Amino acid sequence: MPKMKTNRGAAKRFRKTATGKIKRNSAFTSHILTSKTTKLKRNFRRSRILAPGDAKRIQTLLPY
């Protein structure tokens, strides 16, 4: 049985935490920032934990 391959696109976007949850960065941070409030932009800097339904799908892309 050959090794499973990691999806490289997913590997660049998601990280696993020590407890096995999947961490992601916020979207909407790259351009058209003038119309967004300072508070909103500050909150976008935080990373988030992926929702359980989405985490299940990403888990298959990140086997290791």
Side-chain angles (χ1 to χ4, degrees), residues 1 4 7 13-16 19 21-22 25-26 29 32 35 38 42 45 47 49 51-56 58-59 64:
M1 188 91 174
M4 291 169 64
N7 181 294
R13 289 170 173 82
F14 304 102
R15 296 278 177 268
K16 281 187 184 175
T19 57
K21 292 176 186 169
I22 297 179
N25 286 326
S26 298
T29 58
I32 317 176
S35 60
T38 310
R42 185 170 61 246
R45 287 186 218 137
S47 58
I49 298 296
D54 295 326
K56 200 176 286 185
I58 299 301
Q59 201 77 47
Y64 304 108

Side-chain angles (χ1 to χ4, degrees), residues 18-54:
T19 57
K21 292 176 186 169
I22 297 179
K23 222 165 60 159
R24 67 171 179 87
N25 286 326
S26 298
F28 310 111
T29 58
S30 53
H31 59 90
I32 317 176
L33 298 172
T34 50
S35 60
K36 294 168 184 144
T37 63
T38 310
K39 182 179 180 180
L40 195 62
K41 289 186 278 192
R42 185 170 61 246
N43 288 335
F44 283 151
R45 287 186 218 137
R46 296 187 297 139
S47 58
R48 313 289 163 94
I49 298 296
L50 212 58
D54 295 326

